[in-house]
Amino acid sequence: TWEATNNPSSCNATGDWSGTKAGSGSTSTGALTTAKTYTYTLTCTNSKGTSTPVSAQLTVQALPPGVPGVYMN
């Protein structure tokens, strides 16, 4: 979930997501099955300028063999 202030005219997503996003919202990543650090960055613009990019990171680690997996929705 994210929310930008000061009425952005556009927001751009980069990293492990991409494209134009609304000034506020939420999204689903879907299943993250590859062990790595996922980075989601958002930069917004309005008539006064461009925001500093803001990022969230999520690290997915591989389970050792035989360890049960847990999945949440």
Side-chain angles (χ1 to χ4, degrees):
T1 301
W2 68 92
E3 183 173 350
T5 61
N6 296 321
N7 301 312
S9 55
S10 66
C11 293
N12 187 49
T14 57
D16 288 294
W17 63 344
S18 62
T20 301
K21 303 293 182 190
S24 63
S26 62
T27 192
S28 173
T29 63
L32 301 176
T33 57
T34 301
K36 68 175 230 171
T37 297
Y38 294 85
T39 302
Y40 303 92
T41 302
L42 194 64
T43 305
C44 295
T45 302
N46 70 10
S47 62
K48 302 290 185 181
T50 301
S51 71
T52 300
V54 175
S55 297
Q57 291 187 322
L58 175 66
T59 300
V60 175
Q61 297 178 337
L63 293 173
V67 173
V70 178
Y71 299 92
M72 301 175 119
N73 284 323

